[in-house]
Every structure is written in C-alpha cells, then in structure tokens.
Amino acid sequence: MQNRTFFMCAVLIAALFICGCVSAPGEQTDDRIWNLTLIGDTEEVLTLQELRSLLSVEGYGYGISTVGIKVGPNTYRGVLISDLIERVGGMGQNDLVYISADDGYLWVFGADQINGEGFMTLNEDLKEIPSPGLSVICAYERDGEIIDEEWGGPLRVIIISNQENTIVEASSWVKWVDTIEVKRR
Ligand SMILES: Nc1nc2c(c(=O)[nH]1)N[C@H]1C(S)=C(S)[C@@H](COP(=O)(O)O)O[C@H]1N2
Ligand SMILES: [Mo]
C-alpha cells in the first residue's frame, strides 16, 4: 500500500512537470498572451515570447512619480526601443515615437530620448545631476522575475541607467505597453 501511494505521488509530480505547471528552479516562464504592435514604414506584431527571444539589455531603473514617491532601484531586462523601431524602418532626428497602452495612456518620445538623451536625472537628494548612460527599454523582467500586471506588466517602458542611484521621472514609464508607433515629421 505504501509503495502504491509513493508511486502515485511520483506519477503526479512527473505529470505536473510535463504539463508545465511546475517548472525547474531558475527557469523563466511567462505564458501570458500579449501582442506588441510596432508601426513605422512597415508594421510588425510581436508576441511576448518573440520579444523575449530578441537581444536584451539590463540596467538599473529608479523612478520618481509626479507625487514624489521613489520606486526602486530595481534591475530591469528588456529590449531597446531603438532596436524595436529599427525593425519597422527606423526613425529620423525629427520623428517622434508614440508609446501607448490600452488604458489610453500615451507618452511621446523624441529621437534624442529614444537614444537615452534629454532626460532629467536626479540624485538621492533629488538634486539634478548630469545624466549617465541611459537607455529606454521595453522591459519584461524586473529583478529577474516577470513583471506582474499591477506593476505594469507584462511590458513596461523603463529608462535604465548603468548607475544604481540615478533617479528619473517615472511618468514616461508607460505600463501595459501594447503599441509603439513612429510618427514621421
Ligand atoms: N499605462 C499607463 N502607464 C503609466 C501611467 C498610466 O496612467 N497608465 N501613469 C504614469 C505616471 S504619471 C507615473 S508617475 C507612473 C506611476 O507608476 P506606478 O503606478 O508604478 O507608481 O506610471 C506611468 N505610467
Ligand atoms: Mo505621474
């Protein structure tokens, strides 16, 4: 009888692994269904899984909301917005990039910002400091974990820095990103 119970448990655990309900430690799974639409000279729709297969970058994200609440620092991983834009024809110096979400939120970035320039950066005492290397990414991982919906996941715009203690304004950190569009001017 004991043998039989043990056997049934082993079969159950094996079945859970096979159906993906249990994953091996350190393995990232994110089976959420999400589409990211890129619009430029051409159009492309990427699934979450396709986005995660692209070349990614990592950095520190430390934001401050308009009401003065600091969030971070955390590490974020994602794909450079500039790389995504290249896939649909790139952008000129005068073009703008509209990044939006289904809740109606929209943030407009200039070409310099897409390349990490022209953002205000602050130190821990909220004094303005010269900007270190910044990048604007479409993030899908925060501190090595998938980004939950409450935090703006599965995809959120994050301005990342190579320095842990650099604070940027978080109003451009669009949550639940679903469309990135290049507007020619
Ligand atoms: N989709 C979406 N993204 C958004 C917003 C929003 O209303 N909708 N608010 C923005 C503003 S103004 C700020 S300050 C931060 C707030 O981030 P938090 O909600 O994680 O604190 O998210 C930004 N991203
Ligand atoms: Mo805000």
Side-chain angles (χ1 to χ4, degrees):
M1 193 62 195
Q2 257 180 359
N3 269 343
R4 204 187 143 130
T5 310
F6 177 79
F7 177 75
M8 291 307 285
C9 285
V11 168
L12 186 68
I13 290 165
L16 284 171
F17 266 100
I18 290 161
C19 83
C21 305
V22 174
S23 53
E27 211 176 85
Q28 275 286 324
T29 51
D30 192 350
D31 350 352
R32 285 176 289 185
I33 311 262
W34 194 265
N35 286 332
L36 175 66
T37 304
L38 310 176
I39 305 168
D41 295 332
T42 56
E43 263 191 55
E44 185 178 14
V45 179
L46 293 172
T47 64
L48 204 50
Q49 290 69 28
E50 286 167 337
L51 187 80
R52 296 179 74 97
S53 72
L54 303 179
L55 182 73
S56 66
V57 294
E58 195 173 60
Y60 298 105
Y62 197 176
I64 185 164
S65 74
T66 22
V67 288
I69 298 167
K70 290 181 196 167
V71 280
N74 299 94
T75 60
Y76 289 93
R77 175 170 294 281
V79 179
L80 287 172
I81 301 288
S82 57
D83 282 357
L84 294 174
I85 287 169
E86 280 307 314
R87 298 177 71 87
V88 289
M91 73 185 297
Q93 198 51 45
N94 295 317
D95 296 340
L96 298 174
V97 178
Y98 286 24
I99 303 186
S100 57
D102 204 34
D103 68 337
Y105 199 74
L106 164 77
W107 196 267
V108 181
F109 295 85
D112 56 335
Q113 294 181 318
I114 292 299
N115 293 315
E117 289 149 28
F119 292 110
M120 184 177 68
T121 44
L122 309 166
N123 65 14
E124 292 274 2
D125 305 321
L126 303 187
K127 275 189 64 182
E128 196 169 345
I129 51 164
S131 294
L134 298 177
S135 303
V136 185
I137 68 169
C138 183
Y140 53 73
E141 231 175 77
R142 173 177 178 249
D143 296 332
E145 309 262 321
I146 62 171
I147 305 175
D148 59 34
E149 194 189 337
E150 196 194 345
W151 183 250
L155 300 179
R156 186 173 187 171
V157 170
I158 302 287
I159 300 171
I160 55 167
S161 165
N162 51 17
Q163 286 174 22
E164 193 170 6
N165 50 5
T166 302
I167 298 172
V168 298
E169 283 178 291
S171 38
S172 65
W173 292 13
V174 182
K175 298 186 265 193
W176 316 297
V177 174
D178 64 9
T179 309
I180 299 177
E181 181 173 5
V182 179
K183 293 276 190 185
R184 295 253 178 246
R185 290 208 299 179

